[in-house]
PDB file of all heavy atoms in Angstrom:
ATOM      1  N   ALA U   1       0.856  -1.185   0.000  1.00  0.00           N
ATOM      2  CA  ALA U   1       0.000   0.000   0.000  1.00  0.00           C
ATOM      3  C   ALA U   1       0.893   1.238   0.000  1.00  0.00           C
ATOM      4  O   ALA U   1       2.126   1.148   0.013  1.00  0.00           O
ATOM      5  CB  ALA U   1      -0.900  -0.015   1.235  1.00  0.00           C
ATOM      6  N   ALA U   2       0.270   2.426  -0.048  1.00  0.00           N
ATOM      7  CA  ALA U   2       1.046   3.667  -0.075  1.00  0.00           C
ATOM      8  C   ALA U   2       1.845   3.820   1.205  1.00  0.00           C
ATOM      9  O   ALA U   2       1.387   3.496   2.310  1.00  0.00           O
ATOM     10  CB  ALA U   2       0.115   4.851  -0.265  1.00  0.00           C
ATOM     11  N   GLY U   3       3.090   4.297   1.050  1.00  0.00           N
ATOM     12  CA  GLY U   3       3.962   4.529   2.198  1.00  0.00           C
ATOM     13  C   GLY U   3       5.406   4.233   1.868  1.00  0.00           C
ATOM     14  O   GLY U   3       5.748   3.843   0.745  1.00  0.00           O
ATOM     15  N   SER U   4       6.278   4.423   2.840  1.00  0.00           N
ATOM     16  CA  SER U   4       7.704   4.078   2.701  1.00  0.00           C
ATOM     17  C   SER U   4       7.971   2.854   3.571  1.00  0.00           C
ATOM     18  O   SER U   4       7.702   2.872   4.790  1.00  0.00           O
ATOM     19  CB  SER U   4       8.580   5.257   3.136  1.00  0.00           C
ATOM     20  OG  SER U   4       8.389   6.355   2.262  1.00  0.00           O
ATOM     21  N   TRP U   5       8.497   1.820   2.916  1.00  0.00           N
ATOM     22  CA  TRP U   5       8.655   0.535   3.601  1.00  0.00           C
ATOM     23  C   TRP U   5      10.098   0.051   3.489  1.00  0.00           C
ATOM     24  O   TRP U   5      10.798   0.365   2.531  1.00  0.00           O
ATOM     25  CB  TRP U   5       7.717  -0.516   2.999  1.00  0.00           C
ATOM     26  CG  TRP U   5       6.316  -0.022   2.805  1.00  0.00           C
ATOM     27  CD1 TRP U   5       5.752   0.404   1.668  1.00  0.00           C
ATOM     28  CD2 TRP U   5       5.322   0.114   3.820  1.00  0.00           C
ATOM     29  NE1 TRP U   5       4.462   0.787   1.863  1.00  0.00           N
ATOM     30  CE2 TRP U   5       4.155   0.619   3.202  1.00  0.00           C
ATOM     31  CE3 TRP U   5       5.293  -0.156   5.201  1.00  0.00           C
ATOM     32  CZ2 TRP U   5       2.994   0.870   3.902  1.00  0.00           C
ATOM     33  CZ3 TRP U   5       4.129   0.089   5.893  1.00  0.00           C
ATOM     34  CH2 TRP U   5       2.990   0.605   5.253  1.00  0.00           C
ATOM     35  N   THR U   6      10.473  -0.738   4.497  1.00  0.00           N
ATOM     36  CA  THR U   6      11.781  -1.393   4.468  1.00  0.00           C
ATOM     37  C   THR U   6      11.572  -2.894   4.624  1.00  0.00           C
ATOM     38  O   THR U   6      11.011  -3.357   5.625  1.00  0.00           O
ATOM     39  CB  THR U   6      12.697  -0.897   5.598  1.00  0.00           C
ATOM     40  OG1 THR U   6      12.909   0.517   5.441  1.00  0.00           O
ATOM     41  CG2 THR U   6      14.041  -1.620   5.552  1.00  0.00           C
ATOM     42  N   ALA U   7      11.985  -3.631   3.592  1.00  0.00           N
ATOM     43  CA  ALA U   7      11.867  -5.089   3.634  1.00  0.00           C
ATOM     44  C   ALA U   7      13.187  -5.672   4.147  1.00  0.00           C
ATOM     45  O   ALA U   7      14.261  -5.287   3.689  1.00  0.00           O
ATOM     46  CB  ALA U   7      11.541  -5.631   2.258  1.00  0.00           C
ATOM     47  N   THR U   8      13.093  -6.609   5.103  1.00  0.00           N
ATOM     48  CA  THR U   8      14.287  -7.233   5.694  1.00  0.00           C
ATOM     49  C   THR U   8      14.246  -8.739   5.414  1.00  0.00           C
ATOM     50  O   THR U   8      13.231  -9.388   5.674  1.00  0.00           O
ATOM     51  CB  THR U   8      14.338  -6.997   7.201  1.00  0.00           C
ATOM     52  OG1 THR U   8      14.341  -5.579   7.457  1.00  0.00           O
ATOM     53  CG2 THR U   8      15.585  -7.633   7.812  1.00  0.00           C
ATOM     54  N   VAL U   9      15.364  -9.235   4.863  1.00  0.00           N
ATOM     55  CA  VAL U   9      15.436 -10.667   4.610  1.00  0.00           C
ATOM     56  C   VAL U   9      16.504 -11.259   5.552  1.00  0.00           C
ATOM     57  O   VAL U   9      17.584 -10.689   5.743  1.00  0.00           O
ATOM     58  CB  VAL U   9      15.805 -10.964   3.142  1.00  0.00           C
ATOM     59  CG1 VAL U   9      17.126 -10.377   2.730  1.00  0.00           C
ATOM     60  CG2 VAL U   9      15.776 -12.492   2.889  1.00  0.00           C
ATOM     61  N   THR U  10      16.177 -12.385   6.189  1.00  0.00           N
ATOM     62  CA  THR U  10      17.111 -13.103   7.056  1.00  0.00           C
ATOM     63  C   THR U  10      17.491 -14.409   6.354  1.00  0.00           C
ATOM     64  O   THR U  10      16.608 -15.246   6.075  1.00  0.00           O
ATOM     65  CB  THR U  10      16.482 -13.410   8.423  1.00  0.00           C
ATOM     66  OG1 THR U  10      16.124 -12.165   9.048  1.00  0.00           O
ATOM     67  CG2 THR U  10      17.459 -14.169   9.315  1.00  0.00           C
ATOM     68  N   ALA U  11      18.784 -14.492   6.036  1.00  0.00           N
ATOM     69  CA  ALA U  11      19.285 -15.695   5.346  1.00  0.00           C
ATOM     70  C   ALA U  11      19.949 -16.614   6.376  1.00  0.00           C
ATOM     71  O   ALA U  11      20.807 -16.166   7.153  1.00  0.00           O
ATOM     72  CB  ALA U  11      20.272 -15.294   4.267  1.00  0.00           C
ATOM     73  N   THR U  12      19.613 -17.906   6.387  1.00  0.00           N
ATOM     74  CA  THR U  12      20.164 -18.867   7.350  1.00  0.00           C
ATOM     75  C   THR U  12      20.857 -19.996   6.581  1.00  0.00           C
ATOM     76  O   THR U  12      20.247 -20.587   5.682  1.00  0.00           O
ATOM     77  CB  THR U  12      19.049 -19.450   8.239  1.00  0.00           C
ATOM     78  OG1 THR U  12      18.384 -18.366   8.895  1.00  0.00           O
ATOM     79  CG2 THR U  12      19.620 -20.404   9.270  1.00  0.00           C
ATOM     80  N   SER U  13      22.133 -20.224   6.990  1.00  0.00           N
ATOM     81  CA  SER U  13      22.906 -21.268   6.311  1.00  0.00           C
ATOM     82  C   SER U  13      22.540 -22.636   6.858  1.00  0.00           C
ATOM     83  O   SER U  13      21.836 -22.745   7.866  1.00  0.00           O
ATOM     84  CB  SER U  13      24.410 -21.031   6.518  1.00  0.00           C
ATOM     85  OG  SER U  13      24.747 -21.199   7.897  1.00  0.00           O
ATOM     86  N   ALA U  14      23.105 -23.682   6.236  1.00  0.00           N
ATOM     87  CA  ALA U  14      22.836 -25.042   6.692  1.00  0.00           C
ATOM     88  C   ALA U  14      23.382 -25.281   8.086  1.00  0.00           C
ATOM     89  O   ALA U  14      22.889 -26.111   8.846  1.00  0.00           O
ATOM     90  CB  ALA U  14      23.431 -26.057   5.713  1.00  0.00           C
ATOM     91  N   GLY U  15      24.430 -24.491   8.477  1.00  0.00           N
ATOM     92  CA  GLY U  15      25.011 -24.651   9.797  1.00  0.00           C
ATOM     93  C   GLY U  15      24.332 -23.819  10.848  1.00  0.00           C
ATOM     94  O   GLY U  15      24.775 -23.784  11.999  1.00  0.00           O
ATOM     95  N   GLY U  16      23.271 -23.090  10.457  1.00  0.00           N
ATOM     96  CA  GLY U  16      22.525 -22.303  11.441  1.00  0.00           C
ATOM     97  C   GLY U  16      22.986 -20.876  11.584  1.00  0.00           C
ATOM     98  O   GLY U  16      22.460 -20.142  12.419  1.00  0.00           O
ATOM     99  N   GLU U  17      23.933 -20.468  10.734  1.00  0.00           N
ATOM    100  CA  GLU U  17      24.373 -19.079  10.809  1.00  0.00           C
ATOM    101  C   GLU U  17      23.404 -18.186  10.027  1.00  0.00           C
ATOM    102  O   GLU U  17      22.910 -18.565   8.957  1.00  0.00           O
ATOM    103  CB  GLU U  17      25.778 -18.964  10.236  1.00  0.00           C
ATOM    104  CG  GLU U  17      26.819 -19.756  11.020  1.00  0.00           C
ATOM    105  CD  GLU U  17      28.192 -19.700  10.373  1.00  0.00           C
ATOM    106  OE1 GLU U  17      28.248 -19.267   9.178  1.00  0.00           O
ATOM    107  OE2 GLU U  17      29.155 -20.062  11.026  1.00  0.00           O
ATOM    108  N   SER U  18      23.166 -16.938  10.528  1.00  0.00           N
ATOM    109  CA  SER U  18      22.185 -16.029   9.921  1.00  0.00           C
ATOM    110  C   SER U  18      22.813 -14.692   9.556  1.00  0.00           C
ATOM    111  O   SER U  18      23.706 -14.199  10.260  1.00  0.00           O
ATOM    112  CB  SER U  18      21.018 -15.770  10.883  1.00  0.00           C
ATOM    113  OG  SER U  18      20.324 -16.967  11.143  1.00  0.00           O
ATOM    114  N   GLU U  19      22.349 -14.158   8.446  1.00  0.00           N
ATOM    115  CA  GLU U  19      22.717 -12.796   8.043  1.00  0.00           C
ATOM    116  C   GLU U  19      21.446 -12.076   7.566  1.00  0.00           C
ATOM    117  O   GLU U  19      20.502 -12.698   7.075  1.00  0.00           O
ATOM    118  CB  GLU U  19      23.733 -12.830   6.897  1.00  0.00           C
ATOM    119  CG  GLU U  19      25.106 -13.289   7.314  1.00  0.00           C
ATOM    120  CD  GLU U  19      26.114 -13.134   6.184  1.00  0.00           C
ATOM    121  OE1 GLU U  19      25.744 -12.486   5.154  1.00  0.00           O
ATOM    122  OE2 GLU U  19      27.215 -13.639   6.330  1.00  0.00           O
ATOM    123  N   GLN U  20      21.450 -10.734   7.679  1.00  0.00           N
ATOM    124  CA  GLN U  20      20.292  -9.943   7.255  1.00  0.00           C
ATOM    125  C   GLN U  20      20.692  -8.902   6.209  1.00  0.00           C
ATOM    126  O   GLN U  20      21.808  -8.410   6.194  1.00  0.00           O
ATOM    127  CB  GLN U  20      19.657  -9.214   8.445  1.00  0.00           C
ATOM    128  CG  GLN U  20      18.880 -10.142   9.381  1.00  0.00           C
ATOM    129  CD  GLN U  20      18.129  -9.349  10.432  1.00  0.00           C
ATOM    130  OE1 GLN U  20      18.511  -8.230  10.783  1.00  0.00           O
ATOM    131  NE2 GLN U  20      17.036  -9.937  10.942  1.00  0.00           N
ATOM    132  N   ALA U  21      19.724  -8.604   5.349  1.00  0.00           N
ATOM    133  CA  ALA U  21      19.890  -7.529   4.348  1.00  0.00           C
ATOM    134  C   ALA U  21      18.552  -6.792   4.240  1.00  0.00           C
ATOM    135  O   ALA U  21      17.492  -7.364   4.491  1.00  0.00           O
ATOM    136  CB  ALA U  21      20.306  -8.097   3.006  1.00  0.00           C
ATOM    137  N   GLN U  22      18.652  -5.533   3.863  1.00  0.00           N
ATOM    138  CA  GLN U  22      17.441  -4.709   3.763  1.00  0.00           C
ATOM    139  C   GLN U  22      17.354  -4.005   2.406  1.00  0.00           C
ATOM    140  O   GLN U  22      18.378  -3.743   1.775  1.00  0.00           O
ATOM    141  CB  GLN U  22      17.408  -3.666   4.888  1.00  0.00           C
ATOM    142  CG  GLN U  22      17.272  -4.272   6.287  1.00  0.00           C
ATOM    143  CD  GLN U  22      17.217  -3.199   7.354  1.00  0.00           C
ATOM    144  OE1 GLN U  22      17.834  -2.141   7.204  1.00  0.00           O
ATOM    145  NE2 GLN U  22      16.485  -3.471   8.421  1.00  0.00           N
ATOM    146  N   VAL U  23      16.126  -3.701   2.017  1.00  0.00           N
ATOM    147  CA  VAL U  23      15.894  -2.942   0.788  1.00  0.00           C
ATOM    148  C   VAL U  23      14.690  -2.019   1.020  1.00  0.00           C
ATOM    149  O   VAL U  23      13.711  -2.411   1.676  1.00  0.00           O
ATOM    150  CB  VAL U  23      15.652  -3.867  -0.418  1.00  0.00           C
ATOM    151  CG1 VAL U  23      14.410  -4.714  -0.248  1.00  0.00           C
ATOM    152  CG2 VAL U  23      15.569  -3.064  -1.702  1.00  0.00           C
ATOM    153  N   ALA U  24      14.772  -0.809   0.530  1.00  0.00           N
ATOM    154  CA  ALA U  24      13.696   0.183   0.726  1.00  0.00           C
ATOM    155  C   ALA U  24      12.717   0.156  -0.448  1.00  0.00           C
ATOM    156  O   ALA U  24      13.113  -0.002  -1.610  1.00  0.00           O
ATOM    157  CB  ALA U  24      14.264   1.588   0.876  1.00  0.00           C
ATOM    158  N   VAL U  25      11.466   0.347  -0.148  1.00  0.00           N
ATOM    159  CA  VAL U  25      10.391   0.418  -1.154  1.00  0.00           C
ATOM    160  C   VAL U  25       9.559   1.675  -0.854  1.00  0.00           C
ATOM    161  O   VAL U  25       9.101   1.859   0.286  1.00  0.00           O
ATOM    162  CB  VAL U  25       9.493  -0.825  -1.125  1.00  0.00           C
ATOM    163  CG1 VAL U  25       8.349  -0.677  -2.129  1.00  0.00           C
ATOM    164  CG2 VAL U  25      10.306  -2.082  -1.405  1.00  0.00           C
ATOM    165  N   ARG U  26       9.386   2.499  -1.873  1.00  0.00           N
ATOM    166  CA  ARG U  26       8.572   3.723  -1.697  1.00  0.00           C
ATOM    167  C   ARG U  26       7.348   3.627  -2.600  1.00  0.00           C
ATOM    168  O   ARG U  26       7.476   3.433  -3.815  1.00  0.00           O
ATOM    169  CB  ARG U  26       9.381   4.964  -2.029  1.00  0.00           C
ATOM    170  CG  ARG U  26       8.596   6.277  -1.863  1.00  0.00           C
ATOM    171  CD  ARG U  26       9.536   7.461  -1.974  1.00  0.00           C
ATOM    172  NE  ARG U  26      10.258   7.468  -3.225  1.00  0.00           N
ATOM    173  CZ  ARG U  26       9.804   8.018  -4.354  1.00  0.00           C
ATOM    174  NH1 ARG U  26       8.609   8.580  -4.374  1.00  0.00           N
ATOM    175  NH2 ARG U  26      10.538   7.989  -5.454  1.00  0.00           N
ATOM    176  N   VAL U  27       6.187   3.776  -1.982  1.00  0.00           N
ATOM    177  CA  VAL U  27       4.921   3.640  -2.720  1.00  0.00           C
ATOM    178  C   VAL U  27       4.109   4.939  -2.568  1.00  0.00           C
ATOM    179  O   VAL U  27       3.763   5.332  -1.449  1.00  0.00           O
ATOM    180  CB  VAL U  27       4.098   2.441  -2.216  1.00  0.00           C
ATOM    181  CG1 VAL U  27       2.828   2.286  -3.055  1.00  0.00           C
ATOM    182  CG2 VAL U  27       4.927   1.163  -2.254  1.00  0.00           C
ATOM    183  N   GLU U  28       3.875   5.579  -3.678  1.00  0.00           N
ATOM    184  CA  GLU U  28       3.071   6.806  -3.655  1.00  0.00           C
ATOM    185  C   GLU U  28       1.594   6.460  -3.667  1.00  0.00           C
ATOM    186  O   GLU U  28       1.176   5.472  -4.302  1.00  0.00           O
ATOM    187  CB  GLU U  28       3.379   7.681  -4.867  1.00  0.00           C
ATOM    188  CG  GLU U  28       4.814   8.153  -4.933  1.00  0.00           C
ATOM    189  CD  GLU U  28       5.071   8.988  -6.169  1.00  0.00           C
ATOM    190  OE1 GLU U  28       4.086   9.333  -6.864  1.00  0.00           O
ATOM    191  OE2 GLU U  28       6.244   9.285  -6.443  1.00  0.00           O
ATOM    192  N   PRO U  29       0.777   7.265  -2.992  1.00  0.00           N
ATOM    193  CA  PRO U  29      -0.660   6.985  -3.016  1.00  0.00           C
ATOM    194  C   PRO U  29      -1.231   7.222  -4.410  1.00  0.00           C
ATOM    195  O   PRO U  29      -0.881   8.191  -5.091  1.00  0.00           O
ATOM    196  CB  PRO U  29      -1.237   7.985  -2.005  1.00  0.00           C
ATOM    197  CG  PRO U  29      -0.221   9.086  -1.939  1.00  0.00           C
ATOM    198  CD  PRO U  29       1.109   8.429  -2.153  1.00  0.00           C
ATOM    199  N   ARG U  30      -2.101   6.366  -4.883  1.00  0.00           N
ATOM    200  CA  ARG U  30      -2.778   6.545  -6.160  1.00  0.00           C
ATOM    201  C   ARG U  30      -4.020   7.401  -5.896  1.00  0.00           C
ATOM    202  O   ARG U  30      -4.851   7.069  -5.056  1.00  0.00           O
ATOM    203  CB  ARG U  30      -3.212   5.208  -6.735  1.00  0.00           C
ATOM    204  CG  ARG U  30      -3.976   5.289  -8.036  1.00  0.00           C
ATOM    205  CD  ARG U  30      -3.057   5.587  -9.201  1.00  0.00           C
ATOM    206  NE  ARG U  30      -2.223   4.430  -9.506  1.00  0.00           N
ATOM    207  CZ  ARG U  30      -1.212   4.444 -10.351  1.00  0.00           C
ATOM    208  NH1 ARG U  30      -0.878   5.574 -10.949  1.00  0.00           N
ATOM    209  NH2 ARG U  30      -0.498   3.347 -10.580  1.00  0.00           N
TER     210      ARG U  30
END
């Protein structure tokens, strides 16, 4: 929906180790 959002992905390896990355999404109101 309209707004500024930040999506966060958590990646987990086979050994149980985790890393995170983020990406911004900007949605203008229609």
Side-chain angles (χ1 to χ4, degrees):
S4 295
W5 313 100
T6 299
T8 302
V9 59
T10 300
T12 303
S13 66
E17 297 176 346
S18 297
E19 289 187 10
Q20 287 187 334
Q22 294 181 328
V23 63
V25 177
R26 180 170 57 87
V27 183
E28 298 179 9
R30 178 75 71 189

